[in-house]
Amino acid sequence: MKKQYWTEYESKVADDHYYYERSCIRQSFFTGSEEVFINIVRDLLGKDIADDMNLHTCSGIGYYSGVVPLDTTMTVVARLFALMTEAGYKNFVPSCITSFGLVNEVVDMWHHFPEKLEQIRGYLKEANGKEFDVPENIAHPCDIIYKYRKELKEKMKYSLTNVHTGKPLKVVEHIGCHYAKIFPRQVKGGAEFPQVLVGMIQEWGGEVVDYPERRHCCGFGFSQYMVLANRGYSAANSKKKLESMQPFKPDFILANCPGCTMFMDRWQYTIAETEGITYGENGMGIPVLTYEELAAILLGYNPWDVGLQTHQVQVEPLLDKMGIKYDPKDKYVGKSGAFLGEPEKPTHLKVKAYE
């Protein structure tokens, strides 16, 4: 029997009692993702998850862009761990892929250089008097959804099936680099065969699309987008992926990194405006979802409560394929019930008119 080397790579995910670290960019770009994740874990799965109002940035983007010094970033991470310790938790769950990669890197450095850990303990104590324990378990939220994907399937009202043809939806899965490529042995399937999104897609009825640039970076790249003159490199990476997947006619893209989701969504608009090129069916682009958003709409959450109206590429064609009910009149209505206004239509990327 042929050996499957990816099975040697395994992630260990705690069963319960999670300390959730919110993401600066996830809650800015895709405003409903974190709320529905907490709701799914707490209310549907019955797990204990802490949502601490005192949380702050991990400084990961600044660190990886060469702006924030290592010792500063380590001390910031130490304060996050101190908040976790004070709350009585041992299982750290960072929402952002950058944070996930960063905290694992910091803990790994402390393991190899214990004198650095003691130095950081001193810095934190001097700064604010706090002390901390290193987490016993660090898992990304997508690991938790993957762990309980079967239990969630039993509660789902919809599946990844085209209701008009009865065939599985074709899904491109994109894994954030800082999730699988820094410490691949901590990820189920490693860097080449990560299973976390594949498992969700297949369990929930979809078909995974394999294409040449499947493991190529989305182009996030930190300094590639922080420096205005470098943003063409970022867009070029996303374009390379989109061109590679286009012949396979995917119904949507699923990502576990908020940055990857944002760039593969927003760059489609940029490419359309600058080059007149569109991807997907009928010139409407390929929808890009976070795994929280996908789980939520399959469970029957209102797409607009999930925040799907904040995406550049419209999701209505995908919702129609899945048979998901929604009221188009509620798309741009705020919590107060007031109409917020319809965004200006792009030049080339086609959108459905607001009803």
Side-chain angles (χ1 to χ4, degrees), residues 16 39-48:
D16 202 349
N39 183 269
I40 288 170
V41 172
R42 181 180 290 159
D43 298 338
L44 296 186
L45 295 175
K47 305 298 180 181
D48 171 32

Side-chain angles (χ1 to χ4, degrees), residues 203-305:
E203 184 66 34
W204 300 339
E207 175 186 328
V208 178
V209 174
D210 192 11
Y211 66 106
E213 300 298 341
R214 185 173 176 180
R215 295 293 166 242
H216 193 77
C217 176
C218 73
F220 192 149
F222 301 108
S223 61
Q224 289 185 9
Y225 84 92
M226 287 188 69
V227 179
L228 181 60
N230 290 347
R231 289 180 184 170
Y233 292 108
S234 179
N237 277 275
S238 287
K239 183 181 179 183
K240 186 173 185 176
K241 287 185 67 70
L242 292 164
E243 288 180 342
S244 179
M245 70 179 73
Q246 173 77 350
F248 299 89
K249 299 181 179 180
D251 293 295
F252 70 99
I253 301 167
L254 182 66
N256 70 340
C257 171
C260 298
T261 310
M262 195 279 287
F263 281 107
M264 287 191 290
D265 178 55
R266 304 298 199 270
W267 283 144
Q268 289 190 63
Y269 162 78
T270 301
I271 294 167
E273 291 295 295
T274 57
E275 300 186 22
I277 299 172
T278 58
Y279 305 95
E281 295 179 319
N282 305 318
M284 297 191 72
I286 306 172
V288 190
L289 302 183
T290 70
Y291 59 92
E292 303 107 322
E293 291 170 338
L294 177 62
I297 61 174
L298 291 176
L299 287 163
Y301 285 67
N302 185 325
W304 312 137
D305 291 341

Side-chain angles (χ1 to χ4, degrees), residues 150-195:
K150 295 181 184 294
E151 290 85 343
L152 290 174
K153 181 182 179 180
E154 296 176 358
K155 302 176 184 295
M156 288 178 173
K157 298 180 180 180
Y158 305 98
S159 68
L160 294 177
T161 304
N162 187 322
V163 296
H164 306 293
T165 65
K167 295 181 179 180
L169 293 178
K170 294 181 178 180
V171 189
V172 162
E173 53 88 41
H174 178 80
I175 297 292
C177 295
H178 279 200
Y179 174 78
K181 293 180 180 177
I182 299 181
F183 299 102
R185 288 198 174 275
Q186 295 182 13
V187 175
K188 188 173 182 62
E192 292 299 320
F193 305 101
Q195 296 298 297

Side-chain angles (χ1 to χ4, degrees), residues 19 77-78 80-82 84-85 89-94 103-104 106-107 110 117 121 132-139:
Y19 186 83
V77 170
L80 290 170
F81 290 167
M84 176 198 72
T85 303
Y89 288 81
K90 299 179 180 179
N91 303 317
F92 193 73
V93 180
V103 296
N104 274 292
V106 167
V107 170
W110 288 347
L117 170 59
R121 289 190 188 279
F132 67 95
D133 294 330
V134 177
E136 292 183 1
N137 182 261
I138 299 172

